[in-house]
Amino acid sequence: MAVIALDSSFKTCSVAVRTPAGRDVSFCETPEGGSGADVLVRLIRSALDEAGIDGRGLETIVVTDGPGTFTGQRAAISAAQGLKLASNATAFQIGSLEATALTALAHRLLGDLGAAPFAIVVDARRSGAYVQSFDEAAQPRSECWLLGVEDVPDWLGGHGGTVLTPDTKWLTGIAGPDAAQLYVRALREPAISAKALLDAPARRSLAPVDKLRPHYFRKPDAAPARKVARAGQ
């Protein structure tokens, strides 16, 4: 079965392809000054070419749907929807924090923690944080929430002492006195590896999606420009 997985929720664009023979090909890149959408499209082409697969021959597509940056979410969903239309593949969506948890498990980022529940906390900017908790097999124990940073310490108090975050200094700063009770581990980049998502539909019993849509936890920073009537109209 030809499978492609893609993500551009946060800083790094990641694409992975599995060939019908079971060979995995993966690419990731962090855009610098350019468009993340352009980088993602280039990585998709590179992964398909390396795997020797025509995009029209894809059978399964897996894409993250957020939370994340507004443009990053739209880029991944748009690319996945285009591939779906070209191939008529079965498509699946998965949350980006759940994808991060699967990456942590697959890449052994949990290290010496052993079999224990953990939480993921990500800076959402504008005094907010994305949070979600998981069991030892990276199965969700809670929904993904957008909290105000002032609410994070109370939330962490009910979701275990092991926390993964891309920014340990930021997390310990907002956790305050409660930080001493937490075992905080830094997520290495890339936080999400598309390769860890290739098996997600079966492992997570994901439901197929006909129309792929990003999951926005709040409105974008900038509103679309209004249409301005021309003079004389």
Side-chain angles (χ1 to χ4, degrees):
M1 178 180 293
V3 184
I4 190 169
L6 51 150
D7 165 75
S8 57
S9 298
F10 299 113
K11 292 182 179 180
T12 302
C13 297
S14 181
V15 177
V17 173
R18 175 168 294 163
T19 70
R23 182 170 68 95
D24 293 345
V25 174
S26 60
F27 291 88
C28 66
E29 185 175 328
T30 302
E32 295 183 4
S35 168
D38 293 341
V39 169
L40 184 65
V41 170
R42 174 165 52 78
L43 295 184
I44 290 171
R45 290 173 178 165
S46 297
L48 290 173
D49 288 345
E50 179 71 18
I53 294 176
D54 188 309
R56 291 170 294 183
L58 290 169
E59 298 171 81
T60 301
I61 299 168
V62 187
V63 62
T64 52
D65 61 6
T69 65
F70 180 74
T71 54
Q73 288 179 250
R74 287 177 62 86
I77 291 291
S78 296
Q81 188 66 30
L83 290 169
K84 183 179 186 304
L85 291 173
S87 63
N88 199 31
T90 303
F92 301 89
Q93 296 183 199
I94 187 169
S96 55
L97 265 62
E98 185 172 355
T100 301
L102 288 172
T103 300
L105 190 66
H107 289 195
R108 303 183 186 278
L109 300 185
L110 302 178
D112 56 355
L113 300 181
F118 61 96
I120 294 177
V121 181
V122 177
D123 187 357
R125 310 301 178 187
R126 290 189 281 174
S127 299
Y130 299 120
V131 300
Q132 191 169 9
S133 63
F134 301 87
D135 68 13
E136 61 277 6
Q139 292 277 3
R141 300 173 67 212
S142 76
E143 298 291 328
C144 180
W145 300 102
L146 172 60
L147 301 180
V149 292
E150 68 278 4
D151 297 321
V152 171
D154 284 343
W155 185 88
L156 285 173
H159 292 85
T162 299
V163 186
L164 304 181
T165 180
D167 189 340
T168 58
K169 184 177 180 180
W170 165 80
L171 180 61
T172 54
I174 65 173
D178 296 320
Q181 304 173 26
L182 303 175
Y183 186 27
V184 181
R185 298 289 295 271
L187 286 167
R188 298 198 302 268
E189 290 291 343
I192 298 176
S193 168
K195 188 174 180 180
L197 306 182
L198 292 170
D199 296 313
R203 292 183 61 182
R204 289 294 185 263
S205 299
L206 300 179
V209 178
D210 182 53
K211 176 67 175 178
L212 294 164
R213 291 183 176 87
H215 182 182
Y216 297 128
F217 285 72
R218 62 186 173 197
K219 294 181 179 180
D221 293 330
R226 294 182 179 179
K227 183 176 180 180
V228 179
R230 295 181 180 178
Q233 291 185 341

